[in-house]
Amino acid sequence: MERSILHMDLDTFFVSVERLLDSRLRDRPILIGGSGDRGVVAACSYEARAFGVHSAMPMRMARELCPEAIVIHGNSATYSAHSQAVTEIVRESVPVVEKASVDEFYADLTGVDRFLGTYKMASELRSRIALETGLPLSFGLSINKTVSKVATGVAKPNNQLRIASGEEKTFLAPLSVRKIPMVGEKMYQSLRNLGVQTIGTVQEMPVDLLQQVFGKPGKTLWEKAQGVDPTPVVPTQERKSISAERTFERDTLDAQKLEGLLTAMVENLCFQLRRGDKVTSEITLKIRYADFETQTKQRKIPYTSADHVLIPLAKSLFRELHSRRLMVRLVGVRFGGLVGGGMQFQLFEQEARVHQLYEALDAVRKKYGDRAVVRASGLHARSIGGASNPFDGGPPMLLARRRQ
Amino acid sequence: MKFIVSSGQLLRSLQSISGVINSNNTLPILDNFLFSLAPSALKITASDLETTMSTTVRVEADGDGLAAVPARILLDTLKSFPEQPLTFTFDAKAGVVEISSDFGKYSVAFLDGTEFPQLPDLENASSAELPAHVLTTAIQKTLFAAGNDDLRPVMSGVFFQFAADSLTFVATDAHKLVRYRRTDLGTDHTAEFILPKKPLNLLKGSVGNGDNTVTITHTAANARFEYDDTVLTCRLIDGKYPNYEAVIPRDNPNKMTLDRTSLLSSTKRVSIFANKTTHQIRFKVAGNELHISAEDVDFANKAHERLTCHYEGNDIEIGFNSRFIADMLGNLESEEVRIELSSPNRAGLIVPSDGTENGEDVLMLVMPVMLNS
């Protein structure tokens, strides 16, 4: 059966939220992101884009390009709340919704035709969201996720576009290959080196050639270029890992600071695990030196979610990993191999008491927030935690104040 | 050097000790059986440096000497013969042994037997004796609970603890623990040592269930088991065994008695629906009913069963790894078991409530998993 897939995207979401809170920001170039030397642009208004600014650009460069822009730190919690409000409206009106990120939704409207007509329904939903939340948004409607997403991109800003069934190929043909969601900077460069500029060219290429160049993704790319994408709209995503990382404002060699930060990160992640009733079987440490060399170290462990196991392990992995006599730019921890379940208690260790302690600590955190009780050694580490529950089925949160 | 031997008898002897030989050895000589011929008896030895096992076969001998004969070839050949006398003739100059059967002749090169690793001397050893069936049962009851963790080598073996009034065998992997004790037996000297898994498995398969005596001689580093015609010598695990008595909970207010096989089959059935990696199941005891349940949220699998039991104590809800429970229940033979619990984060005790011999004491301990309710 032919499907009807809707893709909705809130236009310059962070900026729109800020404008909602302060109307003076309207029609002015705005940059949102960390303002320090290492901040990156998390979002920018269309007025700023006219200056050549784009997201993920270093903040310094953006300010040089557009000196009159207003720079805002941003507040992830506020954005989450607004995103939540939009999500609720969408969930109310549509049967199957996938929240792809903080400002993006896919909805499967297949079968709604019989009653309402999908385009009419999508248009009504769009105006309802715009009216109730005050946030501008665009949508694309077609037979699959890829074409809808591309259509949204073309429709933007604050507009809508329907690609009639059977028109997918002709719609995609004149567009740049960069518009296909899976094409990143690297793939785009390779395609340009092959002399490919528009999706139309990809459509005419033999699939074998693409497969030779890109391997398996080559085939997917070719299919997407043909307007074929069978992936379903999945309402919830299962988290396979959780992680935390931090780029320092200034590179550091301060072992105490580094270990304190690690402690804080692991402690918070452990709490997330226990709250989600999960245990991890794999810990990965990541370190980036001042010269951008990035190294990771991974270890398989028996299933656990205990601070007293994971914190010393993270520290010892970090000591093994930190071998170069060089300043550190970033540290990160990831817990992988997550499965649902409680951790196994051990004989010969005073574990019963430790777990009672965790229960008590977790109860305080659930009531007063993640960072209500922390180890003193990790007290100085700010901006750790405070994130939403990673196991609620939603997409990972996008931080407003990122550093590179 | 030459001898005549019954093919079946030789094969049985070789098979009883061939388990010692590793499939890939760093020392090539360890791929061989050491034959040491004395008048009227052939002693055959196999070794992996850690464990050495030897046995004696009656033969018609001509001369004496040492030779290391390739194990694989010898076993494969002997397996293919019907019962018949075989003649082994060693040609020391050519380094070849010729085997003559009713069907024909076979030759294989042998190595100099003096290169075979020597057994360690057990100096200042103390010794103990126990009936073969006791040793076999003790190993069967405990070995499954021993761990595999290279980081905690002491837990990868079985702890032997001999005293004047009892013999105790303990195995644990820090999640479960089994203590098998005989209070009807004792030794003159107290002794404590940890035996690794490999010799335990070999002993389990070869000591047998008879009433014959096994003599155990041991020093701080090695132990020797002598029974029938066989001698097994092995290195012990070095280290201090954890204080297991301290972790056995003394006061368990909640006691449940129920049929072992129905609990075992319920556990196995319910655990099919549990998470495939954690094997977590939930015991909930209320009144005289035990509710066993499991859930795999990722696949929306769920199971719930109810068993009647005899229960004294407060209602309790506790999580376990179903594999531990199944292993332990499967290792018991009793009609009924008694499960003693104190709290959801403390060890649970499993003991057979019948079917044990006089003087036999089996105790199993299993740590729960944390439940998020």
Side-chain angles (χ1 to χ4, degrees):
Chain A
M1 192 172 103
E2 194 151 275
R3 300 183 300 160
S4 316
I5 309 292
L6 172 71
H7 177 254
M8 272 192 296
D9 194 326
L10 294 155
D11 299 330
T12 58
F13 175 57
F14 291 177
V15 176
S16 302
V17 173
E18 291 296 343
R19 283 181 174 161
L20 211 58
L21 300 175
D22 184 351
S23 57
R24 287 173 301 174
L25 298 174
R26 277 188 198 153
D27 305 318
R28 297 183 63 178
I30 295 165
L31 301 173
I32 295 177
S35 59
D37 282 353
R38 287 176 176 179
V40 249
V41 177
C44 53
S45 68
Y46 279 98
E47 291 78 11
R49 287 184 201 187
F51 291 84
V53 178
H54 57 81
S55 54
M57 174 184 270
M59 188 55 90
R60 269 182 113 167
M61 196 193 280
R63 287 170 100 167
E64 258 167 47
L65 286 171
C66 180
E68 61 265 53
I70 300 164
V71 179
I72 301 171
H73 270 308
N75 182 340
S76 297
T78 317
Y79 304 149
S80 283
H82 279 87
S83 167
Q84 198 52 43
V86 177
T87 314
E88 267 161 35
I89 298 174
V90 181
R91 291 233 161 98
E92 229 171 69
S93 348
V94 178
V96 188
V97 183
E98 173 179 341
K99 188 172 179 178
S101 76
V102 74
D103 59 352
E104 252 183 292
F105 303 87
Y106 287 103
D108 193 338
L109 301 183
T110 312
V112 177
D113 277 27
R114 294 197 195 183
F115 309 103
L116 293 166
T118 44
Y119 188 65
K120 186 166 174 241
M121 181 177 178
S123 310
E124 280 172 9
L125 179 60
R126 179 173 159 242
S127 33
R128 185 177 159 203
I129 294 169
L131 194 74
E132 287 184 20
T133 64
L135 297 167
L137 72 159
S138 308
F139 77 73
L141 180 66
S142 77
I143 58 159
N144 61 43
K145 283 167 100 173
T146 301
V147 179
S148 295
K149 189 171 162 99
V150 175
T152 309
V154 172
K156 272 187 165 199
N158 205 0
N159 209 337
Q160 56 195 52
L161 184 62
R162 172 168 60 168
I163 308 303
S165 165
E167 299 291 311
E168 293 82 17
K169 267 184 94 166
T170 32
F171 162 68
L172 292 173
L175 301 172
S176 159
V177 281
R178 193 78 172 80
K179 295 267 183 193
I180 299 179
M182 71 179 294
V183 178
E185 190 54 43
K186 263 210 170 123
M187 204 175 203
Y188 180 59
Q189 278 307 327
S190 316
L191 283 166
R192 289 307 302 269
N193 291 342
L194 289 172
V196 179
Q197 191 173 358
T198 63
I199 299 177
T201 321
V202 182
Q203 287 173 353
E204 283 159 27
M205 284 165 81
V207 62
D208 296 346
L209 177 68
L210 285 163
Q211 229 165 346
Q212 250 175 38
V213 182
F214 299 107
K216 223 176 166 185
K219 194 176 171 224
T220 320
L221 174 69
W222 185 81
E223 282 176 356
K224 287 192 170 182
Q226 309 295 328
V228 175
D229 177 16
T231 49
V233 174
V234 273
T236 51
Q237 292 162 336
E238 197 189 338
R239 284 293 284 269
K240 296 200 177 66
S241 68
I242 56 172
S243 62
E245 62 176 46
R246 165 67 101 57
T247 308
F248 299 107
E249 196 55 57
R250 201 161 279 151
D251 297 344
T252 180
L253 259 181
D254 183 345
Q256 236 174 16
K257 182 177 168 184
L258 286 166
E259 292 203 351
L261 180 65
L262 269 181
T263 306
M265 292 198 286
V266 175
E267 190 179 33
N268 188 257
L269 290 175
C270 284
F271 165 64
Q272 309 278 10
L273 282 180
R274 290 193 297 266
R275 184 170 58 180
D277 199 13
K278 300 269 178 186
V279 281
T280 172
S281 65
E282 192 186 272
I283 175 169
T284 311
L285 248 280
K286 179 174 167 188
I287 190 167
R288 180 173 293 151
Y289 291 104
D291 63 355
F292 266 87
E293 188 188 295
T294 311
Q295 291 177 344
T296 59
K297 201 171 178 82
Q298 206 171 61
R299 183 160 300 163
K300 275 263 169 211
I301 49 168
Y303 286 106
T304 184
S305 61
D307 297 18
H308 68 278
V309 178
L310 289 163
I311 292 177
L313 196 64
K315 283 188 187 170
S316 81
L317 272 176
F318 175 73
R319 278 178 213 136
E320 286 169 41
L321 190 58
H322 187 204
S323 52
R324 296 179 66 199
R325 205 54 203 149
L326 204 60
M327 302 278 255
V328 176
R329 183 182 179 96
L330 169 150
V331 284
V333 198
R334 186 175 76 233
F335 292 160
L338 303 184
V339 291
M343 67 173 292
Q344 169 74 51
F345 290 99
Q346 303 256 336
L347 285 161
F348 312 112
E349 276 167 42
Q350 292 296 317
E351 284 206 324
R353 298 187 58 186
V354 179
H355 286 283
Q356 277 167 4
L357 173 66
Y358 292 156
E359 266 174 36
L361 290 175
D362 292 350
V364 175
R365 288 174 186 147
K366 278 175 198 163
K367 197 165 176 185
Y368 298 104
D370 305 39
R371 297 271 295 162
V373 232
V374 293
R375 280 174 172 71
S377 60
L379 199 59
H380 64 82
R382 280 170 296 120
S383 82
I384 296 293
S388 58
N389 186 352
F391 300 111
D392 58 5
M397 197 157 100
L398 199 65
L399 287 179
R401 242 175 288 173
R402 273 171 302 166
R403 290 186 200 140
Q404 203 172 41
Chain B
M1 174 177 162
K2 180 180 172 182
F3 62 85
I4 301 168
V5 67
S6 135
S7 66
Q9 217 179 0
L10 181 61
L11 179 62
R12 275 191 298 281
S13 302
L14 291 180
Q15 278 174 336
S16 73
I17 63 168
S18 64
V20 177
I21 301 173
N22 285 334
S23 49
N24 37 12
N25 285 306
T26 40
L27 272 183
I29 191 122
L30 297 179
D31 293 330
N32 296 275
F33 286 117
L34 176 69
F35 281 24
S36 42
L37 191 63
S40 86
L42 172 69
K43 191 176 156 205
I44 312 165
T45 308
S47 172
D48 70 349
L49 291 180
E50 299 268 313
T51 309
T52 303
M53 223 173 155
S54 58
T55 185
T56 314
V57 204
R58 218 156 272 288
V59 295
E60 257 178 66
D62 181 7
D64 55 7
L66 281 176
V69 187
R72 191 77 270 148
I73 290 184
L74 200 57
L75 282 168
D76 288 347
T77 324
L78 286 172
K79 267 183 231 161
S80 70
F81 285 139
E83 176 66 47
Q84 62 183 286
L86 298 172
T87 312
F88 284 72
T89 317
F90 292 84
D91 181 344
K93 260 191 204 141
V96 167
V97 52
E98 189 182 82
I99 308 165
S100 326
S101 77
D102 291 349
F103 309 111
K105 287 182 195 290
Y106 325 88
S107 355
V108 55
F110 67 88
L111 296 171
D112 182 5
T114 53
E115 282 174 26
F116 205 82
Q118 297 284 310
L119 274 181
D121 280 329
L122 300 192
E123 280 174 19
N124 303 325
S126 40
S127 68
E129 288 186 350
L130 69 164
H133 69 92
V134 171
L135 182 61
T136 305
T137 318
I139 297 172
Q140 273 168 355
K141 287 269 181 271
T142 51
L143 187 55
F144 79 95
N148 287 316
D149 191 352
D150 293 337
L151 296 173
R152 284 184 289 197
V154 289
M155 290 195 196
S156 67
V158 172
F159 183 51
F160 284 53
Q161 195 174 35
F162 294 166
D165 58 350
S166 67
L167 307 179
T168 308
F169 306 85
V170 184
T172 182
D173 63 357
H175 298 143
K176 54 188 184 295
L177 180 143
V178 178
R179 186 189 72 188
Y180 181 77
R181 181 171 275 168
R182 297 294 302 220
T183 49
D184 54 339
L185 298 167
T187 52
D188 304 339
H189 311 281
T190 58
E192 289 185 352
F193 54 87
I194 309 164
L195 210 62
K197 265 190 185 163
K198 185 169 179 182
L200 285 165
N201 270 314
L202 292 165
L203 286 169
K204 190 172 78 171
S206 98
V207 168
N209 272 319
D211 273 326
N212 50 322
T213 307
V214 179
T215 310
I216 306 175
T217 322
H218 69 93
T219 63
N222 295 286
R224 177 176 298 158
F225 293 76
E226 288 168 80
Y227 50 95
D228 308 328
D229 295 330
T230 311
V231 182
L232 180 143
T233 311
C234 66
R235 202 173 287 172
L236 297 171
I237 295 176
D238 189 25
K240 193 176 167 351
Y241 206 73
N243 183 5
Y244 66 90
E245 288 291 351
V247 299
I248 300 173
R250 299 280 161 226
D251 46 334
N252 299 295
N254 309 308
K255 292 184 171 63
M256 163 169 68
T257 312
L258 74 171
D259 186 66
R260 182 183 65 89
T261 44
S262 29
L263 177 59
L264 177 58
S265 43
S266 286
T267 303
K268 281 184 174 167
R269 229 176 357 253
V270 167
S271 72
I272 298 171
F273 295 83
N275 183 295
K276 288 285 168 290
T277 41
T278 57
H279 308 286
Q280 182 176 321
I281 56 167
R282 189 182 283 253
F283 281 13
K284 188 177 168 187
V285 205
N288 275 336
E289 273 184 345
L290 166 66
H291 297 260
I292 310 176
S293 60
E295 193 176 6
D296 188 345
V297 207
D298 300 343
F299 296 94
N301 294 343
K302 221 178 199 177
H304 175 254
E305 287 200 17
R306 205 167 55 186
L307 286 173
T308 38
C309 62
H310 182 73
Y311 187 62
E312 290 167 32
N314 303 321
D315 292 1
I316 189 170
E317 202 167 352
I318 185 166
F320 287 111
N321 181 329
S322 62
R323 288 220 281 198
F324 297 162
I325 301 284
D327 281 353
M328 299 180 128
L329 292 173
N331 201 270
L332 294 170
E333 285 107 34
S334 65
E335 282 284 316
E336 289 197 320
V337 284
R338 195 172 74 243
I339 298 181
E340 299 184 7
L341 305 165
S342 57
S343 77
N345 52 18
R346 282 176 205 280
L349 222 66
I350 303 179
V351 288
S353 30
D354 56 81
T356 46
E357 272 178 47
N358 230 350
E360 206 180 19
D361 170 26
V362 186
L363 179 141
M364 295 179 167
L365 204 67
V366 58
M367 284 307 272
V369 294
M370 192 160 65
L371 283 182
N372 265 32
S373 37

